[in-house]
Amino acid sequence: MISCENNDNTIDDPRPVDKNVYQFQFKSYVVKNTVLYQGAKGEKSTPDESYLNKYWSLYQEPAWEKISLDLKNKTIKLLSETSTTDFTYSFTMMNDSVMIKENNNNKPTYIGDFHKDTSSFTLKRTYRYVKKVPRDDHDALLITKSAHFGTTQYENIFVNIFSTPSEMIKTGDQVLWSNIEYSYK
């Protein structure tokens, strides 16, 4: 063989080209667990998924229909087709776990798992509801309802408002959380 371009290298590079940007579309969700502590004794239960509709009517659909993961620039974009809640974060990875920096927090926030072999992403969201009934005439009713990236466990919900379920001394006291995984392909 003769090469007209002075390139006599006829061996192709057999290594696959790594993809730098992955585009994901929402496919499905799974409720991983729902935990409820309530009442004057802080009794624990695990209600089924239908219980969540009382607190979050839209938990079945994620806030973002699409996710763009740029491995070269280390950015993840969460894209909504129906609102202006698009966000871009820089990220780091530990194994398949994706960690972002948000709200000027020094500690990275776990957002989900990137599965390179299947070109999929699992976005982890946790929903929290805490209600503290007034203890005396000077206290106000306290209700917090929020959604966060990552997962909630006993250790990170019984911290501020109630330190333990034993502090739940009024009938209306409630602590509820649910961990939901949104799958993207």
Side-chain angles (χ1 to χ4, degrees):
M1 287 183 102
I2 299 173
S3 173
C4 296
E5 295 180 13
N6 293 331
N7 182 1
D8 293 328
N9 184 4
T10 59
I11 301 172
D12 289 333
D13 188 350
R15 294 176 295 173
V17 176
D18 276 347
K19 191 173 178 181
N20 286 327
V21 179
Y22 289 82
Q23 304 290 340
F24 303 106
Q25 180 78 35
F26 170 68
K27 295 299 178 195
S28 63
Y29 79 97
V30 174
V31 176
K32 294 308 279 187
N33 67 330
T34 301
V35 179
L36 172 66
Y37 286 85
Q38 66 181 357
K41 296 179 184 173
E43 294 175 1
K44 180 182 176 182
S45 63
T46 54
D48 63 18
E49 182 179 336
S50 64
Y51 191 81
L52 296 178
N53 284 320
K54 295 179 184 179
Y55 300 91
W56 300 281
S57 59
L58 301 175
Y59 72 91
Q60 297 171 338
E61 296 292 324
W64 308 280
E65 290 85 10
K66 295 180 180 179
I67 294 177
S68 177
L69 188 70
D70 186 335
L71 298 178
K72 183 178 180 184
N73 296 314
K74 298 286 188 188
T75 58
I76 184 168
K77 293 179 184 178
L78 307 176
L79 306 164
S80 173
E81 296 177 341
T82 57
S83 69
T84 58
T85 57
D86 293 353
F87 295 102
T88 300
Y89 300 100
S90 30
F91 73 87
T92 57
M93 287 188 64
M94 294 170 48
N95 298 324
D96 62 352
S97 298
V98 178
M99 314 290 278
I100 62 169
K101 286 231 174 198
E102 69 171 338
N103 302 329
N104 296 324
N105 191 352
N106 289 335
K107 183 180 176 190
T109 301
Y110 172 62
I111 190 172
D113 298 322
F114 169 55
H115 311 284
K116 193 172 188 175
D117 55 334
T118 60
S119 293
S120 63
F121 189 87
T122 304
L123 181 68
K124 308 276 182 125
R125 295 285 281 165
T126 183
Y127 294 85
R128 301 174 184 171
Y129 177 86
V130 179
K131 178 181 174 185
K132 185 177 182 181
V133 174
R135 299 314 196 232
D136 56 43
D137 292 340
H138 305 290
D139 291 339
L141 175 66
L142 175 66
I143 296 177
T144 64
K145 183 175 164 183
S146 58
H148 305 272
F149 292 119
T151 58
T152 297
Q153 300 170 348
Y154 179 94
E155 296 80 24
N156 55 7
I157 197 156
F158 281 104
V159 177
N160 297 327
I161 298 171
F162 297 109
S163 298
T164 65
S166 64
E167 291 180 359
M168 301 174 71
I169 57 173
K170 296 288 186 174
T171 304
D173 289 347
Q174 234 179 356
V175 173
L176 169 69
W177 74 85
S178 187
N179 295 314
I180 301 177
E181 294 182 356
Y182 299 99
S183 298
Y184 294 78
K185 287 265 186 193

